[in-house]
Amino acid sequence: MDSLDPIEAPPRFPPELERPIFTLAAEHCPETLPALLLVARRACEWLEPLRYSTLRIKGKVSPKFLSLLRLKGPSFLAAHVSCTILDVESKEGLEILAQCVGAVEVVLQDGTQKIFSKLAQYSRLRKLSLDVPPSELFTYCLNTLNMVLPTLTHLEFNGFLVPSAQILARYCPSLSHLMIYFSGFPIEKLLDILNLPQIRLVILLLQPLRKSDPGPGIFKHDKLITINLNITPEQRYLRRDWVTEMPDRIDYWERAEQMLQSRVAQSNVNKA
C-alpha cells in the first residue's frame, strides 16, 4: 500500500490531543461525522460509537439495520447509546430497546406494558419523555419503573394527565425538571408541584384553544417558565423531531434555565 495513504499515515499530533479534536468536531458538527470516519482507522475507532449515541426506532426496523445492531452486540449498545427514541412498539423495537440499557435519556411516543418492562432495566436513566398513558397503564408504569424513577431528574409529559405532587415526591425524589401541558387543572395542583423542594424548573406549555383558557399572565413563580403553544398532537411530534434531529441539537431544558437566570438577573437590577 502507498505509504502516503491517509488511512495508514502516522498521526501528526499526539493521541491525547488528536482524539479530543476529532471528538469535539464530531459532537459540534455531526454532519461532518461520515467524512471524519474516513480520515484514518484510528479516527474511525474513536468516532464510530458516536453514530449510535442517539438511536431512533421508527416503526418497523429494516432487516439490514437490525442485522447491523445485532452484529454490534448488546455490550456495544449498552455502552454507547445515550438516547433512545421509540416511536411505536414493534418486535424489533423491543429487541433493540432491551439492549440499550445504558441510555440516560428515553423519548417515547408510545407507552405500553412491554415497553415499560424493558425500561425497568435502564439503571442510568435520567431523562424521560413520554405520552401519558391511561390512568390504569400509568399506574403500571409507576410500579414497573419503581427502581428507575428514583434517580430520574428530567421528566416530560406529552399529554394532559398531570401527576400530583405526592406522586412525584414518592416515585421521583430526585426530579428537578418537569415539563407538562396545561389542561385546565386547578392552579393549586401546579403550586403543590412548584413547592416541592427538589423541583428547580417547571416548563408549562399552554394551549389556548378555548377563550376560557387563562393566559400566561396568571402563572407567576420563580421556578416556572410558561410557553404559549397552539399545536395539535401531530405538531407536537414535529416539535420533538426538530429538537432531536437538528444537527445543532437545542436543549430546551438548558434554554429554560437561561430564561430563569435572565429573569432573576433582571429582578435584581429592578430592585437595585
Side-chain angles (χ1 to χ4, degrees):
M1 182 177 290
D2 191 336
S3 60
L4 296 180
D5 188 331
I7 297 300
E8 295 296 332
R12 299 182 180 182
F13 300 100
E16 61 271 16
L17 178 60
E18 188 179 46
R19 183 169 185 171
I21 291 175
F22 276 95
T23 302
L24 284 173
E27 290 177 345
H28 288 276
C29 300
E31 66 274 15
T32 67
L33 183 56
L36 293 174
L37 290 170
L38 301 176
V39 171
R41 288 195 179 96
R42 60 187 179 279
C44 184
E45 293 174 0
W46 295 336
L47 301 180
E48 189 189 18
L50 294 179
R51 299 174 62 191
Y52 301 89
S53 60
T54 297
L55 191 61
R56 181 162 195 175
I57 309 167
K58 295 183 177 181
K60 185 173 176 59
V61 182
S62 70
K64 184 176 181 180
F65 183 60
L66 187 60
S67 297
L68 175 62
L69 294 181
R70 286 172 175 168
L71 184 63
K72 293 296 181 184
S75 59
F76 178 91
L77 296 178
H80 299 296
V81 175
S82 60
C83 176
T84 305
I85 304 171
L86 181 63
D87 288 357
V88 295
E89 179 189 313
S90 66
K91 180 180 178 181
E92 298 84 0
L94 290 172
E95 177 185 339
I96 297 170
L97 195 65
Q99 298 181 41
C100 303
V101 294
V104 297
E105 181 176 2
V106 172
V107 177
L108 298 177
Q109 293 187 9
D110 186 20
T112 67
Q113 290 189 8
K114 291 181 179 180
I115 290 175
F116 292 141
S117 297
K118 301 300 182 185
L119 290 186
Q121 308 301 318
Y122 279 54
S123 59
R124 297 179 57 200
L125 186 63
R126 297 297 181 268
K127 297 182 179 182
L128 177 62
S129 174
L130 75 160
D131 283 344
V132 181
S135 57
E136 64 275 9
L137 189 54
F138 184 55
T139 301
Y140 179 88
C141 169
L142 293 176
N143 293 331
T144 304
L145 302 182
N146 65 336
M147 299 299 291
V148 175
L149 293 177
T151 57
L152 203 67
T153 59
H154 294 65
L155 180 60
E156 176 182 355
F157 277 115
N158 291 299
F160 298 118
L161 187 157
V162 179
S164 67
Q166 291 77 13
I167 287 180
L168 292 177
R170 176 184 176 186
Y171 288 94
C172 308
S174 300
L175 188 68
S176 58
H177 294 65
L178 176 67
M179 181 184 294
I180 53 178
Y181 286 79
F182 176 72
S183 55
F185 55 81
I187 301 302
E188 291 75 16
K189 188 173 187 178
L190 175 62
L191 291 175
D192 287 342
I193 294 174
L194 289 166
N195 289 330
L196 289 173
Q198 74 268 24
I199 292 293
R200 288 172 42 197
L201 170 67
V202 173
I203 300 178
L204 184 66
L205 302 179
L206 304 177
Q207 295 182 289
L209 300 177
R210 300 167 300 185
K211 292 182 178 180
S212 59
D213 286 344
I218 80 168
F219 300 106
K220 291 190 180 297
H221 194 281
D222 290 342
K223 300 179 182 178
L224 182 65
I225 292 292
T226 57
I227 301 176
N228 264 313
L229 295 176
N230 192 354
I231 57 178
T232 64
E234 292 75 17
Q235 289 171 316
R236 188 161 69 244
Y237 293 154
L238 289 176
R239 179 185 65 82
R240 181 186 296 162
D241 292 348
W242 173 67
V243 168
T244 55
E245 294 185 352
M246 283 290 287
D248 294 323
R249 182 173 177 180
I250 297 174
D251 188 331
Y252 46 82
W253 295 112
E254 182 178 341
R255 181 68 58 83
E257 290 269 16
Q258 293 171 355
M259 293 171 66
L260 277 184
Q261 293 171 5
S262 298
R263 181 193 299 171
V264 171
Q266 185 61 48
S267 177
N268 292 336
V269 169
N270 294 338
K271 293 177 181 178

